[in-house]
Amino acid sequence: MQTHECDIFISGGGIAGQVSAAVFAARGFSVVMADPQPPVTEADLDGSDLRSTAFLRPARALFDSCGLWTLLEPHSKPLDSLAVIDTTGWPPELRDKRTFAAADMGDEPFGWNLMNWVVRRELWTYLQNAEGVTALYGSGFKSLVQRTDEVLIGLTDGARVRARLAIAADGKFSPLREAAGIDVSTTRYGQKALAFTVTHPQPHHNISTEIYNEGGAFTIVPLPDIDGQNASAIVWMNFGPRAVELMEMPVTDFEEAMYARSTGLLGRMKLKGRRSVWPVISQTADQLVEGRVAVVAEAAHALPPIGAQGLNTSLNDIAALADLAQGAPQDPGAPAVLAAFEKARKPDIRARAKVIDLFNRVARSGEGAMQAVRLTGLKAVHDIAPVRHGVMRAGLGPR
Ligand SMILES: Cc1cc2nc3c(=O)[nH]c(=O)nc-3n(C[C@H](O)[C@H](O)[C@H](O)COP(=O)(O)OP(=O)(O)OC[C@H]3O[C@@H](n4cnc5c(N)ncnc54)[C@H](O)[C@@H]3O)c2cc1C
């Protein structure tokens, strides 16, 4: 039976696990990453992640620090402005629109949008040749033994891993988090999010647009052109039954519905490829560490897809843990390192989860009083400059 010896074991090879492997290896740690599912690196294959991620400025800095940004940038579209549109009724009637410009906060875009399956492909290309990384796709985490100065991990193929630190980056249902005995608190909203790609006749001008109506946001995020046509990624939140109806709708009817829902903003959009559907929940781990296990990304927090907070918050976890571990190169899982990680990340995660929970409750409501709150809130956030700057800074995350 094979035993791998390393500094850090990472359970999960999704985007968060892959980035963790790249970041820790770039800082000189030996890393073993395991995931039962190999990465799906083509859009049309089953299991391909058809969501996009708007990586915000701190994410770009993290990618830069380990040489990943040069691989990702060519596939990205910069986001220069964020427009928020409030609508009411069906077909949606425009009530107000406010635009937030990245130039208000410095020279750079707010972020850069990439398709998730492309990110996984580029990260996987990088990891196959990265020094210090052993990527075990096809074999998952199975068991955990915590010792004073190491963890002993059992994998599903019978192999073992001895490490100083184990990182749970294995998703919402994280088996490593569960084995460490860490509970979660979960809120369900009765909403689902459809994620899909469109092409459209009108240019997006690098503006990401959130259009509010009953059921939640319809978010349009610019992508690089597809076959010479303007393209965007869409996340469309709805109450569950309507989401299922839209998922099953014939394409022409679906395109008609999204034209109405988008208020015709980019002209008649054409569906490009499949639709995928995702549950909308809010979930936070009660602790971020237990013994020598640290919990990051969706294993630590799953948030409704609003304001590009999910994976960006995950990357902030990884950056914080890597910075702290670098200060203890002999023992990245030392109790002092993990205690400092919990202290650094828990308040930020809690605060973001709370704000997004509140925002989602107001945003999805079709009720008159809540719609008035939404409209007043939008105007206040945009029109009062210090409030606007504070919200934009908080949304971007730590520098
Ligand atoms: C519709 C939608 C749109 C979104 N848009 C944005 C956005 O614009 N910006 C943003 O920041 N975030 C966004 N998010 C959030 C973001 O997509 C997720 O946070 C992110 O994809 C989750 O990545 P992860 O690596 O944490 O988890 P996952 O992708 O779930 O990866 C977990 C991995 O763990 C593996 N695993 C399972 N069991 C085991 C085991 N026993 N051993 C080892 N591995 C195991 C799985 O196979 C999987 O590969 C969005 C979310 C949704 C739903």
Side-chain angles (χ1 to χ4, degrees), residues 9-18 34-37 49 51-55 113 116 120 137 139-142 156 169-176 193-195 221 234-235 278-280 296-299 301-314:
F9 168 72
I10 299 168
S11 180
I15 295 179
Q18 288 182 307
D35 191 315
Q37 302 294 333
D49 188 340
R51 294 171 293 179
S52 75
T53 299
F55 290 107
N113 195 39
N116 282 11
R120 295 204 68 188
Y137 277 113
S139 174
F141 164 82
K142 190 171 172 204
T156 47
D170 42 10
K172 283 198 276 283
F173 307 107
S174 173
L176 175 53
L194 266 66
V221 195
I234 310 276
V235 174
W278 302 84
V280 175
V296 301
E298 284 216 330
H301 46 81
L303 307 173
I306 296 175
Q309 293 296 308
L311 192 50
N312 282 285
T313 304
S314 303

Short mmCIF file of all heavy atoms in Angstrom, two decimals, residues 9-18 34-37 49 51-55 113 116 120 137 139-142 156 169-176 193-195 221 234-235 278-280 296-299 301-314, ligand 1:
data_model
loop_
_atom_site.label_atom_id
_atom_site.label_comp_id
_atom_site.label_asym_id
_atom_site.label_seq_id
_atom_site.Cartn_x
_atom_site.Cartn_y
_atom_site.Cartn_z
N PHE A 9 -1.90 18.06 2.75
CA PHE A 9 -2.86 17.26 1.98
C PHE A 9 -4.07 18.13 1.68
O PHE A 9 -4.59 18.81 2.58
CB PHE A 9 -3.30 16.03 2.78
CG PHE A 9 -4.49 15.33 2.15
CD1 PHE A 9 -4.35 14.62 0.97
CD2 PHE A 9 -5.75 15.43 2.72
CE1 PHE A 9 -5.45 14.01 0.36
CE2 PHE A 9 -6.85 14.83 2.12
CZ PHE A 9 -6.70 14.11 0.94
N ILE A 10 -4.52 18.12 0.43
CA ILE A 10 -5.72 18.89 0.05
C ILE A 10 -6.78 17.91 -0.43
O ILE A 10 -6.56 17.16 -1.40
CB ILE A 10 -5.39 19.89 -1.08
CG1 ILE A 10 -4.35 20.89 -0.61
CG2 ILE A 10 -6.66 20.63 -1.52
CD1 ILE A 10 -3.75 21.73 -1.72
N SER A 11 -7.92 17.90 0.25
CA SER A 11 -9.05 17.09 -0.19
C SER A 11 -9.91 17.94 -1.11
O SER A 11 -10.43 18.97 -0.69
CB SER A 11 -9.87 16.63 1.02
OG SER A 11 -10.96 15.83 0.58
N GLY A 12 -10.02 17.53 -2.39
CA GLY A 12 -10.83 18.29 -3.36
C GLY A 12 -9.95 18.93 -4.42
O GLY A 12 -9.01 19.67 -4.09
N GLY A 13 -10.29 18.66 -5.66
CA GLY A 13 -9.54 19.24 -6.79
C GLY A 13 -10.45 20.05 -7.69
O GLY A 13 -10.28 20.09 -8.89
N GLY A 14 -11.49 20.71 -7.08
CA GLY A 14 -12.26 21.71 -7.80
C GLY A 14 -11.38 22.96 -7.93
O GLY A 14 -10.17 22.90 -7.67
N ILE A 15 -11.99 24.09 -8.29
CA ILE A 15 -11.14 25.28 -8.49
C ILE A 15 -10.41 25.64 -7.19
O ILE A 15 -9.21 25.93 -7.21
CB ILE A 15 -11.97 26.47 -9.01
CG1 ILE A 15 -12.52 26.15 -10.41
CG2 ILE A 15 -11.12 27.74 -9.07
CD1 ILE A 15 -13.38 27.24 -11.02
N ALA A 16 -11.10 25.57 -6.06
CA ALA A 16 -10.46 25.96 -4.80
C ALA A 16 -9.30 25.02 -4.45
O ALA A 16 -8.24 25.47 -4.01
CB ALA A 16 -11.48 25.98 -3.67
N GLY A 17 -9.50 23.71 -4.66
CA GLY A 17 -8.43 22.75 -4.37
C GLY A 17 -7.25 22.95 -5.31
O GLY A 17 -6.09 22.93 -4.89
N GLN A 18 -7.57 23.17 -6.58
CA GLN A 18 -6.50 23.36 -7.57
C GLN A 18 -5.68 24.63 -7.25
O GLN A 18 -4.45 24.61 -7.29
CB GLN A 18 -7.09 23.50 -8.97
CG GLN A 18 -7.64 22.21 -9.54
CD GLN A 18 -8.18 22.42 -10.97
OE1 GLN A 18 -9.01 23.31 -11.19
NE2 GLN A 18 -7.76 21.62 -11.90
N ALA A 34 -6.15 15.27 -3.67
CA ALA A 34 -6.91 14.10 -4.13
C ALA A 34 -8.36 14.49 -4.42
O ALA A 34 -8.95 15.31 -3.71
CB ALA A 34 -6.88 13.01 -3.07
N ASP A 35 -8.92 13.90 -5.48
CA ASP A 35 -10.32 14.14 -5.85
C ASP A 35 -10.79 12.93 -6.65
O ASP A 35 -10.12 12.53 -7.60
CB ASP A 35 -10.42 15.43 -6.71
CG ASP A 35 -11.87 15.89 -6.90
OD1 ASP A 35 -12.73 15.05 -7.20
OD2 ASP A 35 -12.12 17.10 -6.76
N PRO A 36 -11.95 12.37 -6.29
CA PRO A 36 -12.41 11.20 -7.05
C PRO A 36 -12.79 11.52 -8.50
O PRO A 36 -12.77 10.64 -9.35
CB PRO A 36 -13.64 10.71 -6.27
CG PRO A 36 -14.01 11.81 -5.34
CD PRO A 36 -12.81 12.67 -5.13
N GLN A 37 -13.14 12.81 -8.76
CA GLN A 37 -13.60 13.19 -10.11
C GLN A 37 -12.51 13.94 -10.88
O GLN A 37 -12.15 15.04 -10.48
CB GLN A 37 -14.81 14.13 -10.03
CG GLN A 37 -16.00 13.61 -9.28
CD GLN A 37 -16.63 12.40 -9.98
OE1 GLN A 37 -16.53 12.27 -11.20
NE2 GLN A 37 -17.24 11.53 -9.20
N ASP A 49 -18.44 22.39 -15.74
CA ASP A 49 -18.99 23.48 -14.92
C ASP A 49 -19.27 24.69 -15.83
O ASP A 49 -18.33 25.37 -16.27
CB ASP A 49 -17.98 23.84 -13.82
CG ASP A 49 -18.57 24.84 -12.80
OD1 ASP A 49 -19.55 25.53 -13.14
OD2 ASP A 49 -18.02 24.92 -11.69
N ARG A 51 -20.73 27.47 -15.16
CA ARG A 51 -20.80 28.79 -14.54
C ARG A 51 -19.56 29.59 -14.94
O ARG A 51 -18.58 29.03 -15.43
CB ARG A 51 -20.82 28.64 -13.01
CG ARG A 51 -22.04 27.96 -12.50
CD ARG A 51 -21.92 27.65 -11.03
NE ARG A 51 -20.91 26.64 -10.75
CZ ARG A 51 -20.60 26.20 -9.54
NH1 ARG A 51 -21.22 26.68 -8.49
NH2 ARG A 51 -19.68 25.28 -9.37
N SER A 52 -19.65 30.89 -14.73
CA SER A 52 -18.43 31.69 -14.91
C SER A 52 -18.08 32.29 -13.55
O SER A 52 -18.91 32.29 -12.63
CB SER A 52 -18.65 32.80 -15.93
OG SER A 52 -19.42 33.84 -15.36
N THR A 53 -16.87 32.75 -13.41
CA THR A 53 -16.48 33.45 -12.18
C THR A 53 -15.90 34.79 -12.53
O THR A 53 -15.00 34.89 -13.37
CB THR A 53 -15.45 32.64 -11.37
OG1 THR A 53 -16.05 31.39 -11.00
CG2 THR A 53 -15.05 33.38 -10.11
N ALA A 54 -16.44 35.82 -11.89
CA ALA A 54 -15.87 37.14 -12.01
C ALA A 54 -14.80 37.25 -10.91
O ALA A 54 -15.15 37.42 -9.74
CB ALA A 54 -16.96 38.18 -11.81
N PHE A 55 -13.55 37.07 -11.27
CA PHE A 55 -12.47 37.14 -10.28
C PHE A 55 -12.19 38.61 -9.97
O PHE A 55 -11.87 39.40 -10.88
CB PHE A 55 -11.21 36.45 -10.79
CG PHE A 55 -11.36 34.95 -10.86
CD1 PHE A 55 -11.50 34.31 -12.08
CD2 PHE A 55 -11.39 34.19 -9.70
CE1 PHE A 55 -11.66 32.93 -12.15
CE2 PHE A 55 -11.55 32.80 -9.75
CZ PHE A 55 -11.69 32.18 -10.98
N ASN A 113 -13.80 38.18 -15.90
CA ASN A 113 -14.72 37.05 -15.91
C ASN A 113 -14.19 35.92 -16.81
O ASN A 113 -13.74 36.16 -17.92
CB ASN A 113 -16.09 37.51 -16.43
CG ASN A 113 -17.18 36.51 -16.16
OD1 ASN A 113 -17.21 35.89 -15.09
ND2 ASN A 113 -18.10 36.33 -17.09
N ASN A 116 -15.85 28.75 -15.77
CA ASN A 116 -15.24 27.85 -14.78
C ASN A 116 -14.52 26.66 -15.42
O ASN A 116 -13.46 26.26 -14.97
CB ASN A 116 -16.30 27.33 -13.81
CG ASN A 116 -16.67 28.36 -12.75
OD1 ASN A 116 -16.29 29.53 -12.86
ND2 ASN A 116 -17.41 27.95 -11.75
N ARG A 120 -10.64 25.56 -14.80
CA ARG A 120 -10.19 24.23 -14.37
C ARG A 120 -9.19 23.64 -15.37
O ARG A 120 -8.21 23.02 -14.99
CB ARG A 120 -11.38 23.29 -14.20
CG ARG A 120 -12.28 23.75 -13.07
CD ARG A 120 -13.09 22.62 -12.50
NE ARG A 120 -12.25 21.66 -11.81
CZ ARG A 120 -12.68 20.50 -11.35
NH1 ARG A 120 -13.93 20.16 -11.50
NH2 ARG A 120 -11.86 19.68 -10.72
N TYR A 137 -6.12 12.46 -9.09
CA TYR A 137 -7.51 12.43 -9.53
C TYR A 137 -7.93 10.96 -9.69
O TYR A 137 -7.15 10.13 -10.14
CB TYR A 137 -7.66 13.18 -10.85
CG TYR A 137 -7.79 14.68 -10.65
CD1 TYR A 137 -6.79 15.55 -11.09
CD2 TYR A 137 -8.90 15.22 -10.02
CE1 TYR A 137 -6.91 16.93 -10.90
CE2 TYR A 137 -9.04 16.59 -9.83
CZ TYR A 137 -8.04 17.43 -10.28
OH TYR A 137 -8.17 18.79 -10.09
N SER A 139 -9.05 9.32 -6.97
CA SER A 139 -8.99 8.77 -5.62
C SER A 139 -9.37 9.88 -4.64
O SER A 139 -8.85 10.99 -4.72
CB SER A 139 -7.57 8.29 -5.35
OG SER A 139 -7.46 7.89 -4.02
N GLY A 140 -10.30 9.58 -3.72
CA GLY A 140 -10.80 10.63 -2.83
C GLY A 140 -10.43 10.39 -1.37
O GLY A 140 -9.93 9.32 -1.00
N PHE A 141 -10.70 11.40 -0.57
CA PHE A 141 -10.50 11.29 0.88
C PHE A 141 -11.47 10.25 1.46
O PHE A 141 -12.66 10.24 1.11
CB PHE A 141 -10.77 12.65 1.54
CG PHE A 141 -10.95 12.53 3.02
CD1 PHE A 141 -9.85 12.46 3.86
CD2 PHE A 141 -12.22 12.45 3.57
CE1 PHE A 141 -10.03 12.32 5.23
CE2 PHE A 141 -12.41 12.31 4.93
CZ PHE A 141 -11.31 12.25 5.77
N LYS A 142 -10.96 9.42 2.39
CA LYS A 142 -11.85 8.44 3.02
C LYS A 142 -11.81 8.53 4.55
O LYS A 142 -12.83 8.48 5.21
CB LYS A 142 -11.45 7.04 2.57
CG LYS A 142 -12.46 5.99 2.98
CD LYS A 142 -12.15 4.67 2.33
CE LYS A 142 -13.04 3.59 2.90
NZ LYS A 142 -12.41 2.28 2.75
N THR A 156 -9.57 6.59 -0.94
CA THR A 156 -10.53 5.56 -1.36
C THR A 156 -9.85 4.41 -2.13
O THR A 156 -10.40 3.32 -2.19
CB THR A 156 -11.63 6.19 -2.26
OG1 THR A 156 -11.00 7.02 -3.23
CG2 THR A 156 -12.60 7.02 -1.44
N ALA A 169 -11.03 21.23 0.92
CA ALA A 169 -11.54 22.07 -0.19
C ALA A 169 -12.45 21.19 -1.03
O ALA A 169 -12.44 21.25 -2.25
CB ALA A 169 -10.37 22.61 -1.02
N ASP A 170 -13.20 20.32 -0.32
CA ASP A 170 -13.98 19.30 -1.03
C ASP A 170 -15.48 19.60 -1.05
O ASP A 170 -16.30 18.68 -1.02
CB ASP A 170 -13.68 17.89 -0.46
CG ASP A 170 -13.60 17.87 1.06
OD1 ASP A 170 -13.97 18.90 1.69
OD2 ASP A 170 -13.20 16.86 1.64
N GLY A 171 -15.80 20.89 -1.14
CA GLY A 171 -17.17 21.29 -1.48
C GLY A 171 -18.14 21.35 -0.31
O GLY A 171 -17.81 21.10 0.83
N LYS A 172 -19.38 21.72 -0.67
CA LYS A 172 -20.46 21.95 0.31
C LYS A 172 -20.67 20.77 1.26
O LYS A 172 -21.02 20.95 2.41
CB LYS A 172 -21.79 22.13 -0.44
CG LYS A 172 -21.98 23.48 -1.08
CD LYS A 172 -23.44 23.72 -1.41
CE LYS A 172 -23.88 23.15 -2.72
NZ LYS A 172 -23.48 23.90 -3.90
N PHE A 173 -20.51 19.53 0.73
CA PHE A 173 -20.79 18.35 1.56
C PHE A 173 -19.49 17.75 2.08
O PHE A 173 -19.43 16.56 2.41
CB PHE A 173 -21.59 17.32 0.74
CG PHE A 173 -22.82 17.92 0.13
CD1 PHE A 173 -22.90 18.16 -1.23
CD2 PHE A 173 -23.90 18.28 0.92
CE1 PHE A 173 -24.03 18.75 -1.80
CE2 PHE A 173 -25.03 18.87 0.37
CZ PHE A 173 -25.09 19.10 -1.00
N SER A 174 -18.45 18.55 2.14
CA SER A 174 -17.09 18.17 2.50
C SER A 174 -16.94 16.95 3.42
O SER A 174 -17.21 17.01 4.62
CB SER A 174 -16.44 19.37 3.19
OG SER A 174 -15.18 19.01 3.71
N PRO A 175 -16.47 15.83 2.87
CA PRO A 175 -16.25 14.65 3.73
C PRO A 175 -15.13 14.86 4.75
O PRO A 175 -15.20 14.31 5.85
CB PRO A 175 -15.90 13.53 2.75
CG PRO A 175 -15.85 14.11 1.39
CD PRO A 175 -16.28 15.54 1.44
N LEU A 176 -14.10 15.64 4.40
CA LEU A 176 -13.02 15.87 5.37
C LEU A 176 -13.51 16.74 6.53
O LEU A 176 -13.18 16.48 7.69
CB LEU A 176 -11.80 16.51 4.67
CG LEU A 176 -10.63 16.91 5.57
CD1 LEU A 176 -10.15 15.76 6.46
CD2 LEU A 176 -9.45 17.45 4.74
N ALA A 193 -30.69 28.72 -9.12
CA ALA A 193 -30.05 29.61 -10.10
C ALA A 193 -29.76 28.84 -11.37
O ALA A 193 -29.17 27.76 -11.32
CB ALA A 193 -28.76 30.17 -9.53
N LEU A 194 -30.21 29.38 -12.50
CA LEU A 194 -29.83 28.82 -13.80
C LEU A 194 -28.55 29.51 -14.25
O LEU A 194 -28.44 30.74 -14.13
CB LEU A 194 -30.93 29.10 -14.84
CG LEU A 194 -31.99 28.02 -15.06
CD1 LEU A 194 -32.82 27.85 -13.82
CD2 LEU A 194 -32.87 28.38 -16.24
N ALA A 195 -27.61 28.73 -14.76
CA ALA A 195 -26.38 29.32 -15.29
C ALA A 195 -26.22 28.86 -16.73
O ALA A 195 -26.37 27.66 -17.02
CB ALA A 195 -25.18 28.90 -14.46
N VAL A 221 -22.91 38.75 -17.17
CA VAL A 221 -21.48 39.04 -16.97
C VAL A 221 -20.73 38.84 -18.29
O VAL A 221 -20.79 37.75 -18.88
CB VAL A 221 -20.86 38.15 -15.87
CG1 VAL A 221 -19.51 38.72 -15.42
CG2 VAL A 221 -21.79 38.04 -14.67
N ILE A 234 -24.76 34.16 -18.01
CA ILE A 234 -25.95 34.61 -17.27
C ILE A 234 -26.17 33.73 -16.05
O ILE A 234 -26.02 32.51 -16.13
CB ILE A 234 -27.23 34.48 -18.15
CG1 ILE A 234 -27.04 35.12 -19.53
CG2 ILE A 234 -28.46 35.03 -17.42
CD1 ILE A 234 -27.28 36.58 -19.64
N VAL A 235 -26.50 34.36 -14.93
CA VAL A 235 -27.02 33.63 -13.77
C VAL A 235 -28.41 34.20 -13.51
O VAL A 235 -28.57 35.40 -13.29
CB VAL A 235 -26.12 33.81 -12.53
CG1 VAL A 235 -26.77 33.15 -11.32
CG2 VAL A 235 -24.75 33.19 -12.78
N TRP A 278 -28.60 25.27 -10.24
CA TRP A 278 -27.87 25.16 -8.97
C TRP A 278 -28.77 25.57 -7.81
O TRP A 278 -29.49 26.57 -7.93
CB TRP A 278 -26.65 26.11 -8.99
CG TRP A 278 -25.74 25.82 -10.13
CD1 TRP A 278 -25.87 26.29 -11.41
CD2 TRP A 278 -24.59 24.97 -10.13
NE1 TRP A 278 -24.86 25.79 -12.21
CE2 TRP A 278 -24.06 24.97 -11.44
CE3 TRP A 278 -23.95 24.21 -9.14
CZ2 TRP A 278 -22.93 24.25 -11.79
CZ3 TRP A 278 -22.83 23.49 -9.48
CH2 TRP A 278 -22.32 23.51 -10.79
N PRO A 279 -28.74 24.82 -6.72
CA PRO A 279 -29.52 25.24 -5.55
C PRO A 279 -28.95 26.52 -4.96
O PRO A 279 -27.74 26.73 -5.04
CB PRO A 279 -29.37 24.07 -4.57
CG PRO A 279 -28.14 23.35 -5.01
CD PRO A 279 -27.96 23.61 -6.47
N VAL A 280 -29.81 27.37 -4.42
CA VAL A 280 -29.32 28.60 -3.77
C VAL A 280 -29.44 28.38 -2.26
O VAL A 280 -30.53 28.24 -1.73
CB VAL A 280 -30.16 29.82 -4.20
CG1 VAL A 280 -29.73 31.06 -3.43
CG2 VAL A 280 -30.02 30.04 -5.70
N VAL A 296 -11.71 25.37 3.93
CA VAL A 296 -11.73 26.57 3.06
C VAL A 296 -12.83 26.44 2.01
O VAL A 296 -13.41 25.38 1.81
CB VAL A 296 -10.37 26.77 2.33
CG1 VAL A 296 -9.21 26.91 3.31
CG2 VAL A 296 -10.09 25.64 1.33
N ALA A 297 -13.08 27.54 1.32
CA ALA A 297 -13.95 27.58 0.14
C ALA A 297 -15.35 27.05 0.45
O ALA A 297 -15.85 27.29 1.55
CB ALA A 297 -13.29 26.84 -1.02
N GLU A 298 -16.00 26.35 -0.50
CA GLU A 298 -17.40 25.95 -0.24
C GLU A 298 -17.51 24.96 0.91
O GLU A 298 -18.60 24.80 1.46
CB GLU A 298 -18.05 25.39 -1.51
CG GLU A 298 -18.41 26.50 -2.47
CD GLU A 298 -19.70 26.29 -3.26
OE1 GLU A 298 -20.06 25.13 -3.53
OE2 GLU A 298 -20.33 27.31 -3.62
N ALA A 299 -16.44 24.33 1.28
CA ALA A 299 -16.47 23.48 2.49
C ALA A 299 -16.68 24.37 3.73
O ALA A 299 -17.22 23.92 4.74
CB ALA A 299 -15.17 22.69 2.62
N HIS A 301 -17.96 27.81 3.36
CA HIS A 301 -19.06 28.78 3.15
C HIS A 301 -19.60 28.63 1.73
O HIS A 301 -18.85 28.65 0.77
CB HIS A 301 -18.57 30.22 3.34
CG HIS A 301 -17.27 30.49 2.65
ND1 HIS A 301 -17.17 30.76 1.31
CD2 HIS A 301 -16.00 30.48 3.12
CE1 HIS A 301 -15.89 30.92 1.00
NE2 HIS A 301 -15.15 30.75 2.07
N ALA A 302 -20.91 28.44 1.62
CA ALA A 302 -21.57 28.49 0.30
C ALA A 302 -22.56 29.63 0.39
O ALA A 302 -23.31 29.73 1.36
CB ALA A 302 -22.28 27.17 0.02
N LEU A 303 -22.54 30.52 -0.60
CA LEU A 303 -23.36 31.73 -0.55
C LEU A 303 -24.24 31.83 -1.80
O LEU A 303 -23.87 31.31 -2.85
CB LEU A 303 -22.46 32.97 -0.49
CG LEU A 303 -21.39 32.99 0.62
CD1 LEU A 303 -20.47 34.20 0.45
CD2 LEU A 303 -22.05 33.03 1.98
N PRO A 304 -25.38 32.51 -1.72
CA PRO A 304 -26.15 32.77 -2.94
C PRO A 304 -25.28 33.52 -3.96
O PRO A 304 -24.43 34.33 -3.56
CB PRO A 304 -27.30 33.66 -2.45
CG PRO A 304 -27.45 33.35 -1.00
CD PRO A 304 -26.06 33.06 -0.52
N PRO A 305 -25.46 33.22 -5.27
CA PRO A 305 -24.59 33.83 -6.28
C PRO A 305 -24.93 35.29 -6.55
O PRO A 305 -25.55 35.64 -7.55
CB PRO A 305 -24.83 32.96 -7.52
CG PRO A 305 -26.19 32.39 -7.35
CD PRO A 305 -26.43 32.29 -5.87
N ILE A 306 -24.50 36.16 -5.64
CA ILE A 306 -24.77 37.59 -5.75
C ILE A 306 -23.44 38.32 -5.52
O ILE A 306 -22.72 38.00 -4.57
CB ILE A 306 -25.78 38.05 -4.68
CG1 ILE A 306 -27.13 37.39 -4.90
CG2 ILE A 306 -25.93 39.57 -4.68
CD1 ILE A 306 -28.16 37.67 -3.83
N GLY A 307 -23.14 39.28 -6.39
CA GLY A 307 -21.98 40.14 -6.16
C GLY A 307 -20.64 39.42 -6.27
O GLY A 307 -19.63 39.90 -5.75
N ALA A 308 -20.61 38.27 -6.96
CA ALA A 308 -19.35 37.53 -7.20
C ALA A 308 -18.58 37.27 -5.91
O ALA A 308 -17.36 37.40 -5.87
CB ALA A 308 -18.48 38.29 -8.21
N GLN A 309 -19.31 36.88 -4.85
CA GLN A 309 -18.63 36.74 -3.56
C GLN A 309 -18.11 35.31 -3.28
O GLN A 309 -17.17 35.13 -2.54
CB GLN A 309 -19.57 37.17 -2.43
CG GLN A 309 -19.88 38.64 -2.46
CD GLN A 309 -18.65 39.51 -2.23
OE1 GLN A 309 -17.93 39.32 -1.27
NE2 GLN A 309 -18.40 40.44 -3.14
N GLY A 310 -18.75 34.28 -3.88
CA GLY A 310 -18.46 32.89 -3.48
C GLY A 310 -17.01 32.49 -3.59
O GLY A 310 -16.29 32.35 -2.58
N LEU A 311 -16.55 32.30 -4.82
CA LEU A 311 -15.19 31.82 -5.02
C LEU A 311 -14.16 32.87 -4.64
O LEU A 311 -13.05 32.55 -4.22
CB LEU A 311 -15.04 31.38 -6.48
CG LEU A 311 -13.80 30.59 -6.87
CD1 LEU A 311 -13.56 29.40 -5.95
CD2 LEU A 311 -13.93 30.10 -8.30
N ASN A 312 -14.54 34.14 -4.77
CA ASN A 312 -13.60 35.19 -4.36
C ASN A 312 -13.34 35.12 -2.85
O ASN A 312 -12.20 35.28 -2.41
CB ASN A 312 -14.13 36.56 -4.77
CG ASN A 312 -13.91 36.82 -6.25
OD1 ASN A 312 -12.79 37.10 -6.67
ND2 ASN A 312 -14.94 36.66 -7.06
N THR A 313 -14.38 34.87 -2.08
CA THR A 313 -14.19 34.70 -0.63
C THR A 313 -13.30 33.47 -0.38
O THR A 313 -12.43 33.49 0.49
CB THR A 313 -15.57 34.54 0.06
OG1 THR A 313 -16.36 35.67 -0.27
CG2 THR A 313 -15.44 34.45 1.57
N SER A 314 -13.49 32.43 -1.18
CA SER A 314 -12.67 31.21 -1.05
C SER A 314 -11.19 31.52 -1.29
O SER A 314 -10.31 31.02 -0.58
CB SER A 314 -13.12 30.16 -2.07
OG SER A 314 -14.48 29.88 -1.92
C1 LIG B 1 -24.83 29.88 -10.34
C2 LIG B 1 -23.57 30.24 -9.59
C3 LIG B 1 -22.75 31.30 -10.02
C4 LIG B 1 -21.59 31.65 -9.30
N1 LIG B 1 -20.84 32.72 -9.72
C5 LIG B 1 -19.77 33.12 -8.98
C6 LIG B 1 -18.98 34.27 -9.34
O1 LIG B 1 -19.24 34.98 -10.32
N2 LIG B 1 -17.93 34.60 -8.53
C7 LIG B 1 -17.61 33.87 -7.44
O2 LIG B 1 -16.65 34.22 -6.73
N3 LIG B 1 -18.28 32.74 -7.11
C8 LIG B 1 -19.35 32.35 -7.84
N4 LIG B 1 -20.07 31.24 -7.48
C9 LIG B 1 -19.55 30.35 -6.44
C10 LIG B 1 -18.49 29.39 -7.03
O3 LIG B 1 -18.92 28.88 -8.27
C11 LIG B 1 -18.22 28.25 -6.07
O4 LIG B 1 -17.85 28.80 -4.82
C12 LIG B 1 -17.07 27.39 -6.54
O5 LIG B 1 -17.24 26.92 -7.85
C13 LIG B 1 -16.92 26.20 -5.60
O6 LIG B 1 -15.63 25.66 -5.79
P1 LIG B 1 -15.01 24.66 -4.73
O7 LIG B 1 -13.73 24.20 -5.32
O8 LIG B 1 -15.05 25.23 -3.36
O9 LIG B 1 -16.09 23.47 -4.68
P2 LIG B 1 -16.44 22.38 -5.78
O10 LIG B 1 -16.35 22.91 -7.15
O11 LIG B 1 -17.73 21.77 -5.34
O12 LIG B 1 -15.27 21.32 -5.65
C14 LIG B 1 -15.26 20.36 -4.63
C15 LIG B 1 -14.47 19.17 -5.14
O13 LIG B 1 -14.38 18.22 -4.07
C16 LIG B 1 -14.44 16.94 -4.66
N5 LIG B 1 -14.76 15.91 -3.69
C17 LIG B 1 -15.97 15.42 -3.33
N6 LIG B 1 -15.80 14.38 -2.47
C18 LIG B 1 -14.47 14.23 -2.28
C19 LIG B 1 -13.66 13.33 -1.53
N7 LIG B 1 -14.19 12.32 -0.81
N8 LIG B 1 -12.31 13.47 -1.58
C20 LIG B 1 -11.75 14.46 -2.31
N9 LIG B 1 -12.46 15.32 -3.06
C21 LIG B 1 -13.80 15.20 -3.05
C22 LIG B 1 -15.47 17.08 -5.77
O14 LIG B 1 -15.31 16.05 -6.75
C23 LIG B 1 -15.14 18.46 -6.32
O15 LIG B 1 -14.24 18.41 -7.42
C24 LIG B 1 -21.24 30.90 -8.16
C25 LIG B 1 -22.05 29.84 -7.71
C26 LIG B 1 -23.23 29.53 -8.41
C27 LIG B 1 -24.11 28.41 -7.87
#
